[in-house]
Amino acid sequence: MKLSGKDLLGLKELSAEEIRYILYQAEIMKQILVQDAKKTPHLQGRTVVTLFYENSTRTRLSFELASKYMSANAANITASGSSVAKGESLIDTARTLDVMGTDVIVIRHQMSGAPHLIAQHVKAAVVNAGDGMNEHPTQALLDMLTMKEKKGRIEGLKVAIVGDVAHSRVARSNIYGLNKMGAEVVLGGPATLMPRDIESLGVTAYEDVDKAIKGADVVMCLRLQKERQQSGLLPSMREYSKFFGVDTKRLRLAKEDALIMHPGPVNRGIELCTDAINLDRAVIDEQVTNGVAVRMAVLNILAKRGN
Ligand code: CP
């Protein structure tokens, strides 16, 4: 099977069958990660460039490691260390990578739609590693892989996504992906951080986080971007934590074996307390590991799409 497009720009564009296919390939790739010698010839001769205009630890490193584990030529460019700092446009930068023979360009950009724009101007496959408030598709794929591993299924799970939904590309990709895979998505968070039309995406939204978490199989906390307080969208951090943060008391409302997830980086004590992070059913580390497997699968599928 192949993906219908040359790029991975978002889960909005993928079918349930395509999502299942990527998750299946990621399960195969995970076998490589548990070996002592993490090296395969899958992408020998192929070139992957990561182009990051925003900070990242997990996403950038996991794409780089995924490329290297599969023997690709891997290079990284950041905005501050490239000709972007001299005023080169996004399209010209992407075309420069393209004519150097890059097979896959992985891009993170603060502007929603930036990956979609460059995808129209390059032959290389483009992977969205997070664009503004739009999507972060490989994050949602690794989240779904973690749910599938831990719960044995995605269909029928109740997933509570809690926090700053309005500014979260992670939330948006998970909503698209989980809906397609047959999960029930419930959102919880302050009204000022909840998009007005969000229920049109097939989810239920509550300002009362307790209502969102009640009976959940998975509680996914979102990172609070602290600058939202300056913009007047939030009360104090202390109040945010009290009313919308997830702690062990609030978690008692979820199912006893509910998974606790967070895309990272975590603001400990604000959106999620350390006691909750330390529970056995907190799977934040497993999410990070699965990020490498998912990115290996995505790179392998897209770099070889012409074969
Ligand atoms: N979850 C996530 O995207 O983390 P990074 O910003 O560290 O890549």
Side-chain angles (χ1 to χ4, degrees):
M1 185 182 163
K2 288 182 181 164
L3 301 187
S4 55
K6 80 172 171 70
D7 312 293
L8 175 60
L9 301 175
L11 296 195
K12 188 178 182 181
E13 291 91 355
L14 291 193
S15 66
E17 195 187 6
E18 288 172 313
I19 293 172
R20 263 192 289 276
Y21 172 61
I22 297 171
L23 296 181
Y24 172 69
Q25 293 294 319
E27 283 167 346
I28 295 171
M29 292 300 174
K30 184 110 187 244
Q31 301 305 313
I32 296 163
L33 288 183
V34 296
Q35 294 170 9
D36 287 342
K38 299 175 189 58
K39 199 76 173 173
T40 78
H42 281 82
L43 293 185
Q44 211 149 35
R46 313 286 168 143
T47 301
V48 177
V49 177
T50 51
L51 177 58
F52 274 57
Y53 288 76
E54 272 187 358
N55 293 342
S56 167
T57 299
R58 291 152 200 78
T59 313
R60 186 177 135 186
L61 184 59
S62 60
F63 270 112
E64 284 182 31
L65 289 177
S67 308
K68 287 175 179 166
Y69 290 161
M70 293 192 295
S71 308
N73 308 309
N76 173 64
I77 301 178
T78 56
S80 60
S82 71
S83 291
V84 170
K86 299 181 201 164
E88 187 171 52
S89 75
L90 179 61
I91 292 171
D92 285 344
T93 301
R95 285 173 62 89
T96 302
L97 305 185
D98 206 34
V99 295
M100 286 187 191
T102 304
D103 296 290
V104 184
I105 299 172
V106 179
I107 177 170
R108 172 171 287 190
H109 201 283
Q110 62 278 8
M111 189 180 82
S112 297
H116 307 65
L117 178 68
I118 69 163
Q120 292 167 21
H121 292 87
V122 295
K123 287 201 205 95
V126 175
V127 180
N128 180 0
D131 65 322
M133 299 190 298
N134 181 39
E135 281 219 46
H136 191 349
T138 56
Q139 177 68 44
L141 288 164
L142 74 88
D143 293 336
M144 288 191 280
L145 178 63
T146 309
M147 290 177 212
K148 188 162 179 271
E149 266 182 9
K150 298 288 173 186
K151 294 285 175 196
R153 67 194 163 99
I154 298 170
E155 191 173 2
L157 292 180
K158 178 179 174 182
V159 181
I161 303 179
V162 178
D164 178 2
V165 175
H167 300 95
S168 176
R169 53 199 180 203
V170 174
R172 208 152 281 110
S173 283
N174 267 292
I175 290 169
Y176 291 130
L178 288 165
N179 269 343
K180 287 177 186 181
M181 298 298 284
E184 177 193 358
V185 181
V186 181
L187 308 175
T192 49
L193 297 177
M194 193 67 71
R196 267 181 225 287
D197 60 345
I198 197 76
E199 293 194 323
S200 67
L201 297 183
V203 298
T204 311
Y206 295 105
E207 187 162 18
D208 183 347
V209 169
D210 290 354
K211 285 188 181 155
I213 290 180
K214 196 158 187 266
D217 297 285
V218 177
V219 178
M220 182 185 293
C221 303
L222 301 173
R223 184 172 77 85
L224 181 70
Q225 296 170 34
K226 291 181 183 166
E227 58 273 24
R228 303 302 165 210
Q229 195 187 354
Q230 275 92 56
S231 56
L233 294 172
L234 283 180
S236 69
M237 285 297 156
R238 188 198 292 247
E239 275 178 300
Y240 181 86
S241 168
K242 180 173 172 206
F243 291 109
F244 306 107
V246 172
D247 57 14
T248 47
K249 182 165 171 260
R250 189 158 265 156
L251 278 171
R252 280 186 217 123
L253 296 165
K255 287 200 179 137
E256 211 176 340
D257 60 351
L259 300 180
I260 301 148
M261 302 180 76
H262 193 298
V266 182
N267 295 304
R268 286 175 184 257
I270 297 180
E271 68 261 10
L272 185 59
C273 75
T274 295
D275 286 351
I277 294 170
N278 291 339
L279 292 172
D280 284 345
R281 54 201 173 87
V283 292
I284 299 167
D285 288 348
E286 286 88 338
Q287 288 174 263
V288 174
T289 306
N290 284 339
V292 183
V294 158
R295 283 147 188 154
M296 287 171 80
V298 166
L299 292 176
N300 191 44
I301 292 166
L302 294 182
K304 292 177 167 172
R305 69 194 189 282
N307 294 0

